Amino acid sequence: MTRKDYYEILGVPRTATQEDIKRAYRKLVKEWHPDRHPENRKEAEERFKEIQEAYEVLSDPQKRAQYDRFGYVGETGGGATWQDVHAPGSIFEDFFGDFSDIFDMFFGTSRTSAGRRTTTRARRGEDIELSINITLEDAIRGRNVPLEYDRYVVCSRCNGTGAEPGTGRRTCPRCGGTGVIREEKRTFFGLFVNTYTCPVCGGEGYVVEQECPKCGGSGRVKERRRITVKVPPGVEDGARLRIKGGGNAGTNGGDYGDLYVTVRIAPDPRFERKGRDLFTTITIDHVQAALGTTVQIPTPEGYETVKIPPGTQPDTVFKLKGLGFPEVGTGRRGDLFVKVKVEIPRPSKRERRILMEIAQRRGLKVDEE
Ligand SMILES: [Zn+2]
Ligand SMILES: [Zn+2]
């Protein structure tokens, strides 16, 4: 077993005071937190453990004195051992399970209402996702859609600190302000050392003295909000509109998240859309197709009167310029294409006589009834 120089690990002289040691430790622990070194996590974890180990010894006057004399610290006796509370055999499984449970088992829980978790790091609020339904006409013209939703805002009583005004924060009772818990277990299989984020203070080292009663210590309260969402003309189905700062409040002075509104355009069975153009179909009688007629064509915004000239063939397509979908930004609209279907009903007796007359005039061969 190699002997480590704990002073060197913490970067402090042998004459360092407890205050110096604590300061150095807190700085290093932040610097070498494995989460901050995703690219060389293994190395950071090693360093992190070393720092913990060094601090555990040097912060304890008795252990430090022993270390100064002998250059190492022997096994610390007393208290429950790992095997006392865990049946051998399941030891590995259990050891790597929920450490906060294990901690509670060994030392009893110290969680109190005042020891509730709090954080000092500013965190941005969560984004909120909502959706609105609009008609095709709304999508073409654009529309201001009123929207009501609940979100978290900064608590007005504690101004987001989570602490009752007038009370402060105190050093976390479980981790002593370090933000991490270090556990060392000696077992038949060897020494297990584990460090993890303090479950009481969430790694921040502080807890509030007295919770704000309005927000229960969270620093945020739920509030109903009414806004108007401006849906631009030409919006696509499924478009997501971002409303900056419309999400939940952050914690500890963090920014608000954003609100994302997904626009759903209700399908209109009369129209088919291809890009900026719209397609629709109308049906007229063959007599109308032959003689010509005036029809009302449905458009997304109402009806348009269109003249169908005499002798119009089935499946003829008319183009109504500028009645399609607008382009977002320019507002330039596509066209509406109208396909004419011609219906040929079975004639009545009387109609038949008229049609026969036409057939004779044109010399068309038709079946007699
Ligand atoms: Zn509050
Ligand atoms: Zn803590």
Side-chain angles (χ1 to χ4, degrees):
M1 194 171 125
T2 53
R3 298 272 152 76
K4 290 168 183 165
D5 187 340
Y6 291 144
Y7 290 100
E8 202 183 302
I9 289 167
L10 293 183
V12 293
R14 289 184 174 266
T15 54
T17 64
Q18 284 300 307
E19 212 40 54
D20 294 337
I21 288 165
K22 191 170 180 177
R23 205 175 308 120
Y25 167 70
R26 294 205 64 177
K27 181 171 162 277
L28 286 170
V29 153
K30 275 196 183 138
E31 207 176 302
W32 286 98
H33 195 285
D35 287 352
R36 295 180 68 169
H37 299 272
E39 71 295 338
N40 50 355
R41 202 181 164 89
K42 272 242 120 38
E43 198 198 326
E45 274 171 9
E46 276 310 305
R47 282 297 293 268
F48 194 72
K49 280 182 195 164
E50 268 183 1
I51 294 160
Q52 298 291 343
E53 203 184 318
Y55 180 71
E56 208 206 14
V57 171
L58 297 187
S59 63
D60 181 330
Q62 221 179 325
K63 285 184 189 170
R64 185 179 175 186
Q66 195 186 355
Y67 175 75
D68 285 345
R69 271 181 79 188
F70 305 112
Y72 70 96
V73 176
E75 197 171 337
T76 48
T81 67
W82 184 256
Q83 271 127 336
D84 290 332
V85 288
H86 282 264
S90 63
I91 191 160
F92 286 103
E93 220 179 291
D94 284 352
F95 195 82
F96 295 103
D98 186 343
F99 281 99
S100 68
D101 284 353
I102 289 164
F103 189 93
D104 289 346
M105 220 182 293
F106 271 99
F107 305 102
T109 179
S110 65
R111 256 174 261 190
T112 63
S113 66
R116 201 190 143 94
R117 162 186 307 219
T118 179
T119 65
T120 51
R121 201 181 309 137
R123 233 170 249 138
R124 184 178 177 275
E126 305 86 1
D127 293 334
I128 295 177
E129 294 269 355
L130 293 172
S131 64
I132 52 172
N133 295 302
I134 60 169
T135 63
L136 186 65
E137 184 181 353
D138 292 337
I140 288 172
R141 292 190 172 177
R143 199 184 146 188
N144 291 338
V145 181
L147 189 62
E148 234 182 271
Y149 68 104
D150 290 331
R151 68 163 181 169
Y152 283 106
V153 296
V154 173
C155 173
S156 59
R157 186 182 174 94
C158 64
N159 209 14
T161 63
E164 174 71 342
T167 70
R169 297 172 191 276
R170 62 187 171 93
T171 304
C172 173
R174 182 172 293 180
C175 64
T178 60
V180 286
I181 304 288
R182 181 175 191 273
E183 279 172 25
E184 196 176 285
K185 296 287 167 280
R186 236 165 246 289
T187 75
F188 178 75
F189 302 99
L191 180 73
F192 288 90
V193 177
N194 178 54
T195 58
Y196 58 94
T197 304
C198 174
V200 170
C201 64
E204 301 298 335
Y206 292 98
V207 291
V208 300
E209 257 170 357
Q210 201 187 326
E211 272 172 20
C212 164
K214 189 176 179 189
C215 62
S218 69
R220 308 194 298 182
V221 286
K222 224 166 211 183
E223 197 176 88
R224 179 137 283 228
R225 189 180 189 224
R226 286 175 193 82
I227 56 164
T228 301
V229 180
K230 277 188 202 307
V231 177
V235 70
E236 296 284 336
D237 181 47
R240 275 170 101 225
L241 308 174
R242 175 170 175 248
I243 293 139
K244 208 173 144 36
N248 286 321
T251 48
N252 297 302
D255 289 338
Y256 273 82
D258 297 329
L259 170 67
Y260 287 94
V261 180
T262 302
V263 180
R264 296 267 168 236
I265 302 172
D268 188 328
R270 299 173 302 171
F271 305 103
E272 204 182 306
R273 187 178 159 190
K274 275 181 201 143
R276 283 159 53 211
D277 294 328
L278 291 174
F279 295 82
T280 192
T281 304
I282 58 158
T283 304
I284 58 172
D285 189 273
H286 70 299
V287 179
Q288 291 176 303
L291 301 177
T293 181
T294 301
V295 288
Q296 296 287 97
I297 307 271
T299 74
E301 296 149 288
Y303 287 90
E304 192 78 7
T305 306
V306 173
K307 270 192 98 67
I308 306 288
T312 290
Q313 301 301 311
D315 297 337
T316 300
V317 175
F318 292 97
K319 180 164 105 176
L320 304 184
K321 256 185 105 58
L323 288 183
F325 225 69
E327 194 174 51
V328 180
T330 66
R332 224 177 16 232
R333 290 180 66 164
D335 304 318
L336 172 62
F337 293 91
V338 185
K339 189 187 233 185
V340 180
K341 286 218 179 284
V342 176
E343 206 172 40
I344 307 169
R346 199 185 165 90
S348 66
K349 272 213 156 73
R350 205 163 153 217
E351 285 168 347
R352 190 177 172 81
R353 279 203 298 276
I354 299 162
L355 288 171
M356 286 301 282
E357 202 182 314
I358 296 168
Q360 269 170 20
R361 272 175 187 269
R362 294 232 204 127
L364 300 172
K365 182 184 180 296
V366 292
D367 288 341
E368 296 286 336
E369 198 169 29

